[in-house]
Amino acid sequence: MADFIQKLIDNIPDYQQFLTVDEMDENSKRLAAEFPGIVEIFEAGKSRKGHPIYCLKIGQGSRNALMFGCPHPNEPMGAMLLEYFSRALAENEDLRKELDYTWYLIKSIDLDGTQLNEGWFKGPITLTNFTRHYFRPAGYEQVEWNFPFHYKNYTYDTPIPETVCLMNLIDKIQPQFMYSLHNAGFGGTYWYLTREIPELWDKFYAATAKQNIPLHLGEPEVNYITPFSQAIYPMISSKDTYDYNEKYGTVAPEKLMSTGTSSADYASQQDYDTTTLVTELPYFYEPRIQSDKLMDFSRREAALKGREILHENRKAVKARYDQIADLISGDNSFAKMVSNGYEHFEEDYRQECDFIRQDPNYDDPCKESEAFDNLEIPKYRVLLQWTLLIRACEHELAKNPSPEAAERLQRIHDEGEKEFAKRAEIAEKELHYQVIPIRKLIAVQLESGMLVADYLQKHR
């Protein structure tokens, strides 16, 4: 590995907390004031609630790179990476020269959503505290999946302001390297890349091994993706989603889709010769996620049981939500995520199960990593739906509704709290997890990015 990358990784601070939006903004402004002529800060756009989206421009390289954090607002790890990386670039002229890029850095692209996650940013970082203060917007309000998209019988052309901000920046700078800074909740490390670069695979593996963070050897995020290599995948495409729905569904694919496409897909469609990387890392680690031990049941049995667990939970949440649906206001983002897809959630479940039953890859004996992903991680995932229901009720209760409405909302809120507490106790008892230090997560994500950036400037 290049010496400059190792030095960069070695100097990452031992962060103990995540930054709030206000702290990010203040630090970005301070950095620009401290390094005039090196760091420029400008307003790239505004959030839906009118918050300025600040972008740092650092360096004067011969090619452009764009990195943005919080593409999903429950994923602030990338913001911490940019907090460190922006200062490292500003302070180190040799680093700026070694990395022959002009860097455009946005610490949080979904500011409004990030603020709705700040309840867990200062800790303690536990499954219970993280999930109880969790927020993630519905797909059609996710910055990352809001780019215009047209394929066959489906068209999406109503991007939200934050996505328009990214579109304008991508169109203006036409980045050679783009890094959408995601992270997962539970599991191990895995990557997405818009092109196959086999020369980097062993270096990726080494980056995560050095930090003692395992590869994610459980199930991929979607059934219909074929990896480049172990835990390294081609970027998910909305076209693939459409084709999957078309092949396995009984409902027209366009009726099952409500989002656009990704930043990677958008840049690719514009023919900007952009290579996009995503490095997914978890907050929480459990040793079973990397075990190749064979179980006494098939991968198919585990996958179907896992889908059943999540489906039954969603039905239980829906039963409560239906009792307050008429009380939900249009600005209730928590409720939007709860109800998103309810119209077709039975079809989605049937479709997934049909795919699992038909795909011969599920014939194999189940590895312990796959069993853990399918049967144990759902104990964490069910908590997310319950907390969104609870917070949806809290959002409406804060508006001082009528006594009858308040009684219904409070009852569902209390039922949700009871279910959440019961399931959180199970998760805390049965998931023997460790919290991965923020510094280690930044190290893997940053080293992966620098490996790709360095490769691109040497092979173009």
Side-chain angles (χ1 to χ4, degrees):
M1 180 177 64
D3 288 343
F4 82 90
I5 298 180
Q6 187 61 60
K7 291 178 182 176
L8 191 62
I9 301 307
D10 290 344
N11 290 327
I12 299 171
D14 187 18
Y15 297 111
Q16 297 298 309
Q17 301 176 334
F18 293 95
L19 294 178
T20 66
V21 168
D22 288 344
E23 289 169 337
M24 293 181 211
D25 288 349
E26 182 181 343
N27 290 352
S28 293
K29 293 174 183 177
R30 183 183 299 119
L31 189 70
E34 189 177 344
F35 295 93
I38 297 173
V39 179
E40 176 188 343
I41 187 170
F42 63 93
E43 186 178 309
K46 281 187 166 62
S47 75
R48 278 160 289 173
K49 292 185 178 180
H51 193 111
I53 301 172
Y54 293 114
C55 181
L56 294 171
K57 178 183 178 184
I58 306 176
Q60 296 179 338
S62 64
R63 53 183 65 77
N64 292 328
L66 172 60
M67 299 170 67
F68 54 94
C70 303
H72 291 128
N74 57 298
E75 301 174 1
M77 187 172 61
M80 302 305 296
L81 181 158
L82 294 176
E83 178 72 16
Y84 166 66
F85 185 52
S86 58
R87 177 159 288 277
L89 284 171
E91 293 178 342
N92 192 330
E93 182 179 2
D94 290 340
L95 177 60
R96 296 196 301 275
K97 289 180 178 178
E98 187 73 40
L99 292 166
D100 185 24
Y101 287 89
T102 301
W103 296 92
Y104 293 82
L105 312 176
I106 299 176
K107 291 179 183 176
S108 173
I109 189 61
D110 187 349
L111 297 159
D112 302 339
T114 300
Q115 289 179 320
L116 294 177
N117 277 279
E118 290 178 353
W120 64 268
F121 280 10
K122 303 305 180 185
I125 301 179
T126 63
L127 276 181
T128 299
N129 196 45
F130 167 70
T131 54
R132 182 57 185 85
H133 295 94
Y134 164 94
F135 169 71
R136 185 182 180 102
Y140 54 86
E141 291 189 344
Q142 291 179 10
V143 180
E144 180 64 279
W145 290 100
N146 223 252
F147 290 80
F149 175 66
H150 175 73
Y151 182 62
K152 295 184 179 178
N153 296 324
Y154 182 71
T155 297
Y156 184 91
D157 57 4
T158 54
I160 58 178
E162 294 88 342
T163 303
V164 173
C165 167
L166 279 182
M167 289 168 59
N168 291 339
L169 197 53
I170 291 168
D171 291 340
K172 178 181 178 181
I173 69 173
Q174 300 183 22
Q176 181 175 6
F177 173 55
M178 187 162 70
Y179 206 175
S180 181
L181 296 165
H182 291 259
N183 65 269
F186 213 122
T189 307
Y190 58 105
W191 297 264
Y192 293 104
L193 202 58
T194 49
R195 54 180 294 199
E196 195 166 6
I197 312 177
E199 302 96 309
L200 294 184
W201 298 167
D202 286 342
K203 294 179 180 180
F204 280 179
Y205 298 148
T208 199
K210 281 187 296 185
Q211 305 302 329
N212 295 314
I213 302 175
L215 296 177
H216 181 85
L217 300 182
E219 300 288 352
E221 285 190 84
V222 294
N223 296 328
Y224 45 89
I225 191 168
T226 302
F228 288 141
S229 184
Q230 190 177 53
I232 303 174
Y233 301 94
M235 200 70 71
I236 297 172
S237 164
S238 292
K239 290 182 180 180
D240 296 333
T241 303
Y242 186 103
D243 290 340
Y244 164 79
N245 289 335
E246 187 173 50
K247 182 174 181 179
Y248 292 96
T250 58
V251 175
E254 60 271 19
K255 294 185 180 297
L256 296 175
M257 298 179 70
S258 60
T259 67
T261 194
S262 67
S263 55
D265 202 15
Y266 177 78
S268 168
Q269 291 174 26
Q270 310 312 308
D271 198 25
Y272 293 151
D273 198 24
T274 300
T275 297
T276 301
L277 171 68
V278 169
T279 304
E280 297 270 13
L281 293 116
Y283 304 117
F284 308 108
Y285 157 68
E286 225 262 29
R288 285 178 285 179
I289 199 61
Q290 60 180 334
S291 172
D292 285 333
K293 174 185 173 183
L294 295 181
M295 313 302 285
D296 60 358
F297 46 84
S298 70
R299 181 186 171 202
R300 177 175 292 111
E301 290 175 275
L304 289 172
K305 181 61 178 177
R307 299 310 190 278
E308 180 186 358
I309 292 169
L310 295 172
H311 182 63
E312 289 302 313
N313 183 75
R314 197 166 189 200
K315 285 200 296 186
V317 174
K318 182 180 185 300
R320 269 77 170 194
Y321 178 80
D322 286 347
Q323 297 177 52
I324 57 167
D326 62 312
L327 304 177
I328 298 299
S329 52
D331 66 345
N332 193 328
S333 296
F334 306 104
K336 291 177 184 178
M337 186 58 170
V338 174
S339 63
N340 186 34
Y342 270 159
E343 182 182 359
H344 299 293
F345 87 108
E346 292 287 358
E347 167 65 11
D348 291 340
Y349 173 61
R350 184 206 61 76
Q351 195 168 291
E352 275 197 295
C353 291
D354 282 355
F355 179 91
I356 292 166
R357 292 188 183 100
Q358 295 175 36
D359 189 332
N361 289 317
Y362 287 90
D363 293 340
D364 298 336
C366 190
K367 297 176 183 177
E368 188 171 29
S369 58
E370 295 164 339
F372 178 72
D373 205 348
N374 282 303
L375 304 177
E376 301 300 324
I377 288 183
K379 293 172 183 174
Y380 143 75
R381 292 180 62 191
V382 297
L383 297 173
L384 306 178
Q385 281 283 309
W386 287 106
T387 205
L388 288 167
L389 176 68
I390 294 165
R391 297 189 75 180
C393 292
E394 291 172 345
H395 180 90
E396 298 303 334
L397 285 166
K399 295 183 174 184
N400 193 28
S402 68
E404 185 277 331
E407 186 279 326
R408 262 197 290 157
L409 288 164
Q410 191 65 55
R411 176 170 52 81
I412 296 302
H413 173 276
D414 294 347
E415 289 181 15
E417 286 276 32
K418 184 177 179 180
E419 285 291 334
F420 178 90
K422 179 178 71 175
R423 293 164 188 261
E425 183 178 3
I426 292 171
E428 292 285 0
K429 181 180 179 181
E430 298 183 9
L431 297 174
H432 308 297
Y433 66 90
Q434 303 167 28
V435 179
I436 302 174
I438 296 172
R439 184 188 185 282
K440 289 179 174 286
L441 299 174
I442 293 174
V444 179
Q445 194 168 57
L446 183 55
E447 183 171 340
S448 299
M450 294 304 97
L451 287 168
V452 174
D454 188 49
Y455 176 89
L456 292 176
Q457 70 174 342
K458 292 176 178 175
H459 294 82
R460 290 289 180 90

